[in-house]
């Protein structure tokens, strides 16, 4: 095995120091979408052993009445973005129209969306185990004006 040169050692130390600095800066000032240098706050909390486990989704209904989940692939919106801005969507459901626009932009031949809903499915948990029961909590709805 060849011995590492002085330049190689300095390069490794600088790269390691830069990585540590980015992780520290991301932890203190970053957002979750700055992976892998964000604060990972989405993992910071834990539900109690008898509290429901939330599962957020955005659902669209097109002009034909077909309902389906809107995601990064078909509408250009990531679940983490929705969860991070849930309060803003609840306060102003008209913001969901942007998701309908994103869907139309990525699917120009598809029927337009008439409705977009922000829904949180709450899975029932008892003694830290899923019971198989759940209910949907519709938090915000945008309806295309007639």
């Amino acid at each position: 095995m060849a011995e590492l040169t002085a330049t190689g050692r300095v390069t490794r130390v600088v790269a390691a120091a830069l990585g540590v600095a980015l992780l520290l800066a991301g932890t203190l000032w970053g957002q979750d979408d700055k992976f892998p240098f964000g604060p990972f706050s989405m993992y910071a909390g834990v539900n109690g052993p008898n509290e429901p486990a939330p599962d957020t989704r955005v659902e669209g209904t097109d002009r034909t009445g077909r309902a389906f989940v809107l995601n990064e692939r078909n509408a250009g919106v990531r679940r983490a973005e929705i969860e991070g801005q849930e309060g803003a969507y609840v306060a102003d459901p008209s913001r969901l129209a942007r998701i309908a626009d994103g869907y139309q932009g990525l699917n120009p031949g598809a029927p337009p969306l008439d409705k977009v809903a922000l829904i949180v499915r709450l899975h029932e948990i008892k003694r830290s185990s899923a019971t198989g029961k759940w209910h949907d909590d519709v938090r915000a709805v945008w309806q295309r004006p007639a």
Side-chain angles (χ1 to χ4, degrees):
M1 180 172 0
E3 189 173 314
L4 195 59
T5 66
T7 302
R9 282 192 295 275
V10 168
T11 301
R12 285 185 179 188
V13 168
V14 168
L18 181 60
V20 168
L22 286 171
L23 286 170
L24 180 61
T27 298
L28 297 175
W29 300 290
Q31 300 295 320
D32 288 336
D33 62 348
K34 300 298 182 208
F35 180 82
F37 300 107
F40 299 103
S41 60
M42 68 282 231
Y43 301 114
V46 64
N47 293 358
N50 295 308
E51 293 179 14
D55 181 18
T56 304
R57 72 180 187 278
V58 176
E59 194 173 275
T61 304
D62 67 18
R63 290 226 167 122
T64 69
R66 183 176 70 108
F68 49 93
V69 174
L70 299 172
N71 55 38
E72 186 173 9
R73 199 169 279 165
N74 66 10
V77 63
R78 295 183 310 185
R79 178 178 160 175
E81 294 171 21
I82 297 299
E83 289 174 342
Q85 298 179 35
E86 181 180 332
Y89 287 110
V90 170
D92 182 11
S94 69
R95 290 175 48 125
L96 292 168
R98 296 180 196 151
I99 297 172
D101 293 342
Y103 172 80
Q104 202 62 51
L106 290 172
N107 304 278
L113 296 178
D114 281 341
K115 181 173 135 181
V116 177
L118 172 60
I119 303 167
V120 177
R121 178 163 286 175
L122 297 164
H123 296 272
E124 184 180 287
I125 305 293
K126 294 292 180 199
R127 294 183 299 280
S128 298
S129 296
T131 65
K133 297 177 184 175
W134 52 266
H135 74 277
D136 286 342
D137 182 12
V138 178
R139 304 270 170 100
V141 177
W142 168 81
Q143 188 83 36
R144 183 176 300 282

